Amino acid sequence: MKHRIFVYGTLRLGMYNYDLYLRDEDSFRSYAYIKGSLMTILTKVYPAYLTEGHHMILGEIHEVDEETLKKIDKMEGYKGYNCIDNEYNKEICPIYDDQGHEIEKLPVYVYNMDNEDNVLLLGDDIHCLDYVQYIQQKRDGKKSLFDFDSEEE
């Protein structure tokens, strides 16, 4: 049985968890959006999605088999419905096209704000609303130790 899910972070095309979990499954179906907020998580290299807010966050619809879904649940720290220890809850959310029209409802991994440890780790807003673009901007903004202006002393 196949399951459709919406992903917005490290499971997106070209990201490291896509390579680990989805690449071999040819799971990508389309780009789409969710409404809410996208934020950094302190000391982590993956984002937090919160349903609060009305920003249109870019992501992707993927279709995976049962075994892959279980692996993704584990990777996302999803232990079960309404579990306080979840890092992410799996919630059915409206999915939108690029015109803002709802196209379907799918499971989305939502950062669990009922877990006090998670609340303490919440970082800054990701203003571009696209995690892949955010990571690319961070990479492009980093300078090598050898990138300096030789006239500065």
Side-chain angles (χ1 to χ4, degrees), residues 6 31-35 55-61 94-100 103 129:
F6 181 89
Y31 291 101
Y33 296 84
I34 48 177
K35 288 184 181 177
H55 300 291
M56 296 291 282
I57 298 162
L58 180 62
E60 302 164 0
I61 297 171
I95 309 300
Y96 301 90
D97 65 15
D98 61 353
Q99 301 298 310
I103 54 176
L129 307 174

Side-chain angles (χ1 to χ4, degrees), residues 79-142:
K79 296 173 172 67
Y81 177 75
N82 217 18
C83 179
I84 191 71
D85 294 330
N86 287 341
E87 183 172 14
Y88 291 85
N89 292 318
K90 191 163 43 171
E91 299 180 17
I92 304 299
C93 297
I95 309 300
Y96 301 90
D97 65 15
D98 61 353
Q99 301 298 310
H101 300 107
E102 185 177 325
I103 54 176
E104 62 184 305
K105 293 183 188 295
L106 292 175
V108 178
Y109 293 94
V110 178
Y111 198 60
N112 181 9
M113 294 299 287
D114 292 331
N115 182 325
E116 290 181 25
D117 293 336
N118 287 356
V119 175
L120 296 173
L121 292 175
L122 206 55
D124 298 323
D125 286 323
I126 297 175
H127 295 288
C128 67
L129 307 174
D130 175 344
Y131 190 69
V132 173
Q133 179 183 343
Y134 169 78
I135 292 297
Q136 190 62 50
Q137 288 171 343
K138 281 186 69 154
R139 285 185 190 138
D140 292 348
K142 283 188 178 176

Side-chain angles (χ1 to χ4, degrees), residues 17-77:
N17 278 327
Y18 171 82
D19 290 341
L20 291 172
Y21 294 92
L22 300 174
R23 174 185 287 205
D24 294 337
E25 214 171 316
D26 189 30
S27 63
F28 177 81
R29 296 298 174 259
S30 67
Y31 291 101
Y33 296 84
I34 48 177
K35 288 184 181 177
S37 300
L38 192 62
M39 302 183 76
T40 61
I41 303 172
L42 302 176
T43 73
K44 307 290 182 178
V45 292
Y46 50 85
Y49 164 67
L50 305 175
T51 56
E52 294 79 23
H54 298 304
H55 300 291
M56 296 291 282
I57 298 162
L58 180 62
E60 302 164 0
I61 297 171
H62 287 261
E63 195 169 85
V64 299
D65 64 26
E66 188 76 29
E67 181 181 334
T68 300
L69 185 62
K70 287 179 182 176
K71 290 177 183 176
I72 292 171
D73 282 349
K74 185 175 181 180
M75 183 267 301
E76 296 284 6

